[in-house]
Amino acid sequence: EDEQIVAEIMGRRFFPDLISHKTWEGFHFAGHEIRITEATDCYGAVVWPSALVLCYFLETNSKQCNLVDKNVIEIGAGTGLVSIVASLLGAFVTATDLPELLGNLQHNVLQNTKQKCKHQPCVKELSWGIDLEKNFPRSSCHFDYIMAADVVYHHPFLNELLLTFDHLCKNDTVILWAMKFRLEEENQFVDRFQTLFDLEIISNFPSLNIALYKAMRKGRMKA
């Protein structure tokens, strides 16, 4: 079953017939052909398999995870694929990443959502753990969903990432997080994450070494 679903997920990706001066990949999600411009010299500007896993879940579980008119923030949006799919499924989306990635992110989001979405998504800078209350004040920012794909890997900002999840997550916020396991340090992050949030695996793909999690604040999952 794992291999069959993984083949379906990876089958959503397509490549240009002809090589052009711009590097891009194509994807089929939410009834649209999505073209993503990448920057191969930048780690955050490449589409990783975890993003495809999350997009596939959003599309194939649109009834129990209805995004229409929901307020969604994606952290570490990278190329913007997850934000684009969530927008095409009817959500009001804020796509966030580091300042050096915003140009490419904005380009992808705009070219794949303009006049196609109920709500035009916005792109905003978010450096994990920095100026969170200033840029995303708790009193006025309420997100129904926080989405993240492949934000946990070998980088020195895992503490700041956890602070960011904590700051953005209200009692009724649902976190959807796709993660590829690589190193023991990342497993330790999951343990620390669980001190603040209840966590359940909703999809697991051993052949990709990727798990898709749903999380809520402690005590809120069953409620």
Side-chain angles (χ1 to χ4, degrees):
E1 184 181 4
D2 168 53
E3 292 181 357
Q4 182 178 351
I5 298 176
V6 166
E8 163 65 15
I9 293 172
M10 294 306 166
R12 300 300 184 92
R13 170 182 259 155
F14 67 92
F15 300 94
D17 294 328
L18 299 173
I19 301 299
S20 66
H21 67 284
K22 281 191 175 181
T23 303
W24 64 271
E25 289 185 69
F27 304 87
H28 292 290
F29 285 110
H32 289 79
E33 179 181 294
I34 301 167
R35 292 193 177 193
I36 296 293
T37 300
E38 298 181 323
T40 55
D41 60 341
C42 183
Y43 194 81
V46 176
V47 177
W48 301 100
S50 292
L52 274 68
V53 167
L54 182 47
C55 290
Y56 181 81
F57 173 82
L58 295 176
E59 181 190 85
T60 57
N61 293 271
S62 58
K63 289 186 178 180
Q64 60 261 50
C65 182
N66 185 354
L67 295 184
V68 176
D69 297 331
K70 295 298 193 298
N71 200 12
V72 172
I73 186 168
E74 184 186 4
I75 61 174
T79 61
L81 180 61
V82 172
S83 288
I84 290 163
V85 172
S87 297
L88 293 171
L89 291 171
F92 181 82
V93 177
T94 302
T96 71
D97 215 312
L98 296 169
E100 59 265 29
L101 296 174
L102 295 187
N104 189 60
L105 175 58
Q106 179 72 63
H107 168 77
N108 285 328
V109 167
L110 187 61
Q111 79 163 1
N112 288 289
T113 62
K114 189 175 182 180
Q115 298 182 333
K116 298 178 183 178
C117 297
K118 185 175 184 181
H119 308 287
Q120 186 60 39
C122 67
V123 172
K124 191 171 179 179
E125 177 185 342
L126 173 53
S127 299
W128 299 336
I130 298 175
D131 292 332
L132 293 175
E133 182 58 30
K134 176 184 175 183
N135 296 324
F136 299 90
R138 289 179 187 268
S139 60
S140 59
C141 288
H142 184 285
F143 297 105
D144 299 296
Y145 290 92
I146 299 170
M147 297 186 184
D150 229 359
V151 293
V152 178
Y153 51 91
H154 186 59
H155 63 71
F157 304 108
L158 293 177
N159 290 336
E160 290 81 358
L161 175 60
L162 188 57
L163 282 173
T164 302
F165 274 123
D166 185 39
H167 180 84
L168 296 173
C169 189
K170 294 288 201 301
N171 281 341
D172 58 349
T173 302
V174 175
I175 298 171
L176 295 175
W177 166 29
M179 173 175 170
K180 180 178 179 67
F181 289 86
R182 300 178 179 89
L183 301 168
E184 181 58 31
E185 186 176 356
E186 288 139 22
N187 292 306
Q188 293 172 6
F189 179 86
V190 174
D191 293 337
R192 293 174 52 219
F193 185 89
Q194 288 181 283
T195 65
L196 298 175
F197 304 100
D198 290 322
L199 192 66
E200 67 171 293
I201 295 178
I202 53 178
S203 296
N204 191 27
F205 302 101
S207 63
L208 295 174
N209 210 20
I210 291 173
L212 177 59
Y213 292 108
K214 174 184 175 181
M216 294 185 76
R217 283 209 174 274
K218 281 284 186 183
R220 299 297 303 178
M221 189 79 84
K222 292 181 180 178

